[in-house]
Amino acid sequence: MRKISIGIMGSYTIDEIHENNMTYEKAGGSPIYSSLGVYIAGGEPHVYSIKGEDFKFELPDYIKEDFIINIKNNLRFEIIINNGKRTLKLKSPGSKIDFNKVSLGNIDGLIINPVCNEIDLDQINVLNIPLAVDFQGIVRKCETDKEITYKEINYIPYKPNYMVAHANIEEKNNGKLDIKKLLDAGFKEIIISYGDLGFEIYNKNRILKETIENRGNYEVGNGDFLLGFYFTLRVKGVKIEEAARLSKLASQKFSIYGPNIQPLLS
């Protein structure tokens, strides 16, 4: 039986991480963390992204790169983690993804997950598959050598095949993302995450709440992982209640083990 194939569109990042008096670089961005969520949920991740000549990291075998824009300098962040709080600064900007030039493969769903405004939702014109959107890179205001701030989102183009939206509570509040407006734009389910407290899933009829009971210290990519995992289950036909429950369990393990979660779930 063919695995569910899920596309992930967004930039790779080089993350300069400062934590516990240590500094190191690692690969990041939605292609890394949403792909991991897709993979752990039993799907096959297909990446549509941007990569700089300075991106020298080896990628996991399960990531399939269907479309890559090659540029000179990769999008780069400085991430300072201190006492569970994260400060994010843009060090080097990336490039736009022109959706009209992207050739999508045979995928069953697509996650639109920009990092810093590199994707225009107005360009997304594929209607035959369900879509998920992470609003983190849409509400962000990205300026080189400055800490990431937020901008208010006044317009979201309607699409009938929107399935899942995701934002954390900071992005929702600072971007003025209204649940009703997201539902009116076509989204069937909206995930709002609250860090180590858990997340809520809204639809037109109710709110599901999932409380995190056992959380680790892995602080980068949690929302991307959650969206990739949950969306894959929903595309596979898993009911919303069960998808929410399993997503909580997977999110807890990701926060503890990070990328080493692979052998822990089947």
Side-chain angles (χ1 to χ4, degrees), residues 7-241:
I8 299 100
M9 184 175 294
S11 293
Y12 284 108
T13 68
I14 298 174
D15 296 338
E16 300 176 3
I17 298 178
H18 305 266
E19 181 180 18
N20 298 328
N21 297 318
M22 295 177 59
T23 298
Y24 55 96
E25 289 188 354
K26 61 187 296 187
S30 52
I32 299 292
Y33 298 111
S34 283
S35 288
L36 179 56
V38 170
Y39 174 68
I40 295 300
E44 185 176 85
H46 292 254
V47 166
Y48 305 84
S49 189
I50 303 169
K51 189 183 289 185
E53 294 176 5
D54 51 342
F55 189 95
K56 305 294 186 181
F57 303 93
E58 185 175 346
L59 297 175
D61 292 339
Y62 57 78
I63 292 180
K64 300 184 183 301
E65 294 187 322
D66 283 15
F67 179 88
I68 300 295
I69 299 170
N70 295 299
I71 59 175
K72 183 172 180 58
N73 297 312
N74 205 86
L75 193 152
R76 183 182 291 263
F77 283 119
E78 178 185 75
I79 301 174
I80 300 174
I81 301 173
N82 188 19
N83 294 324
K85 294 185 178 180
R86 187 177 72 163
T87 301
L88 191 66
K89 180 187 289 186
L90 181 66
K91 299 296 290 183
S92 176
S95 180
K96 293 283 188 181
I97 297 177
D98 185 348
F99 188 84
N100 294 316
K101 295 181 180 179
V102 176
S103 178
L104 293 178
N106 182 27
I107 55 176
D108 301 292
L110 177 65
I111 299 172
I112 307 297
N113 197 346
V115 177
C116 270
N117 312 123
E118 70 269 24
I119 301 173
D120 183 354
L121 287 182
D122 276 318
Q123 276 197 342
I124 307 302
N125 53 20
V126 56
L127 294 174
N128 62 327
I129 56 174
L131 302 175
V133 177
D134 196 310
F135 278 86
Q136 66 169 349
I138 296 173
V139 302
R140 281 175 175 170
K141 185 177 180 181
C142 300
E143 298 180 86
T144 306
D145 291 325
K146 292 184 179 180
E147 188 174 337
I148 298 298
T149 56
Y150 299 97
K151 58 187 178 182
E152 185 174 339
I153 302 300
N154 297 311
Y155 167 72
I156 303 169
Y158 173 82
K159 298 188 191 303
N161 54 327
Y162 279 150
M163 187 176 194
V164 181
H166 172 263
N168 66 34
I169 189 61
E170 185 179 16
E171 293 157 356
K172 175 186 180 294
N173 290 342
N174 287 289
K176 299 295 190 291
L177 290 172
D178 181 79
I179 297 297
K180 184 178 184 303
K181 287 182 179 178
L182 289 167
L183 291 170
D184 289 344
F187 289 102
K188 314 305 183 292
E189 296 150 29
I190 298 109
I191 305 172
I192 303 298
S193 48
Y194 293 83
D196 57 5
L197 298 178
F199 57 87
E200 297 175 338
I201 301 177
Y202 295 76
N203 64 18
K204 288 189 175 181
N205 301 314
R206 57 179 171 165
I207 305 171
L208 285 174
K209 296 185 179 183
E210 293 289 347
T211 302
I212 297 297
E213 297 157 355
N214 184 18
R215 185 133 191 131
N217 297 317
Y218 201 86
E219 297 286 344
V220 179
N222 305 62
D224 296 330
F225 174 87
L226 170 62
L227 179 60
F229 186 92
Y230 177 84
F231 180 62
T232 302
L233 293 185
R234 294 294 286 132
V235 172
K236 288 171 70 173
V238 177
K239 291 185 178 181
I240 184 172
E241 297 89 352

